Amino acid sequence: MYKLEKTILAALTLGVLVTAESTAQTIKKTTKPAATVKKSTAAPVKATGSAIVLKNQMDSLSAAIGVSFANSLSSQGISNINHDILTKTINTSLKGDKAAFAPDEANAFIQSYFQKMMEEKGAVVRVEGEKFLEENKKKQGVVTTESGLQYQVIKTGEGPKPAATDKVKTHYHGTLTNGTVFDSSVDRGEPVEFPVNGVIKGWTEALQLMPVGSKWKLFIPYQLAYGERAAGPQIPAYSALVFEVELLEIVK
């Protein structure tokens, strides 16, 4: 379900901490069978920034997994984990003894925890977006459509309006409602081509209203953007989005 969830589940059920399936697959592909692995003759390596001395490959693997696991926790915003319980549970599971959770119980608890965390974060983002759009629609020049899409005309073109089945070339600059830039073809200096019906609903609706040559500012509620899901690390779930879009041409 989540990167961190996979990591913890692996620790509880398999006794191996991995950050994602890709990490596990990489280890599987690159690790030779035990019978063919020669004992390392390299000098012990002192881990940077710590007193831990890595004497062999398994020490290094253990340290690498520890760093990767800690980064997974940090990336999920979890900083107050109980290190003592975590360590004891790992040791207990590795020994094959009974832990605080059975594997299926651990899975259910983790899913419930992260679901609740996402709902709480999503509620905050959703309310902020709704408040922004409620105030924004009162501004001069802002038009609100029946769907809830808001737009402001910066420049009106004189070309034709594209149909949903057309392919168009655009320049755009996308931000969150707080001004944080998450993507910009303008900054890259490279316009983008795509089918009108192949993007988020807010764009699909707006593009069909724009004559070629127009430049609009779009204010898109989360229902017309990425909805209840996040879009990469920069766009949280339930995010209202703001775009400046210039419709350059209908691609024939």
Side-chain angles (χ1 to χ4, degrees):
M1 181 178 177
Y2 304 98
K3 185 177 181 182
L4 178 57
E5 177 185 325
K6 291 180 180 179
T7 304
I8 297 175
L9 283 175
L12 294 173
T13 60
L14 301 177
V16 179
L17 301 179
V18 294
T19 58
E21 292 180 6
S22 59
T23 304
Q25 291 169 354
T26 300
I27 293 173
K28 184 177 179 181
K29 291 177 181 178
T30 58
T31 304
K32 297 179 180 179
T36 62
V37 176
K38 295 181 180 180
K39 186 175 181 180
S40 174
T41 57
V45 178
K46 185 174 181 180
T48 304
S50 73
I52 299 174
V53 176
L54 309 179
K55 298 180 180 180
N56 52 49
Q57 282 188 329
M58 290 311 298
D59 286 354
S60 297
L61 177 61
S62 300
I65 289 173
V67 170
S68 186
F69 179 62
N71 286 339
S72 295
L73 292 175
S74 178
S75 69
Q76 294 292 331
I78 298 177
S79 58
N80 58 343
I81 194 135
N82 189 315
H83 301 88
D84 185 49
I85 290 178
L86 175 64
T87 302
K88 287 181 179 178
T89 302
I90 292 172
N91 289 334
T92 298
S93 296
L94 287 172
K95 291 177 183 177
D97 296 336
K98 184 178 180 180
F101 288 102
D104 57 341
E105 294 172 337
N107 184 27
F109 180 85
I110 291 169
Q111 290 181 358
S112 174
Y113 178 88
F114 280 100
Q115 180 65 32
K116 182 178 179 181
M117 186 174 71
M118 282 194 65
E119 289 173 355
E120 290 174 350
K121 289 182 177 180
V124 173
V125 174
R126 178 176 56 79
V127 170
E128 288 178 348
E130 290 173 349
K131 288 175 63 177
F132 172 86
L133 292 169
E134 185 64 26
E135 291 301 315
N136 189 68
K137 72 180 184 180
K138 301 174 185 177
K139 295 180 180 179
Q140 185 176 0
V142 174
V143 178
T144 303
T145 70
E146 186 176 348
S147 70
L149 172 70
Q150 297 177 9
Y151 67 87
Q152 188 175 33
V153 177
I154 299 173
K155 180 180 69 173
T156 301
E158 298 181 355
K161 296 178 182 179
T165 54
D166 284 333
K167 185 176 183 180
V168 296
K169 178 186 288 187
T170 72
H171 251 321
Y172 66 89
H173 184 76
T175 71
L176 303 179
T177 56
N178 63 8
T180 300
V181 179
F182 57 80
D183 193 14
S184 176
S185 70
V186 176
D187 290 348
R188 292 192 299 272
E190 298 177 0
V192 178
E193 297 181 6
F194 51 81
V196 173
N197 59 8
V199 287
I200 58 175
K201 293 179 181 178
W203 269 61
T204 298
E205 179 182 349
L207 287 168
Q208 294 178 82
L209 301 174
M210 297 175 65
V212 170
S214 297
K215 184 176 182 179
W216 288 12
K217 191 167 187 177
L218 309 181
F219 308 92
I220 304 177
Y222 79 89
Q223 301 96 323
L224 302 179
Y226 294 101
E228 300 176 2
R229 68 184 189 277
Q234 294 180 299
I235 303 178
Y238 294 94
S239 289
L241 304 178
V242 180
F243 288 94
E244 285 190 4
V245 179
E246 184 176 11
L247 179 54
L248 301 175
E249 65 177 279
I250 299 172
V251 180
K252 302 298 183 182

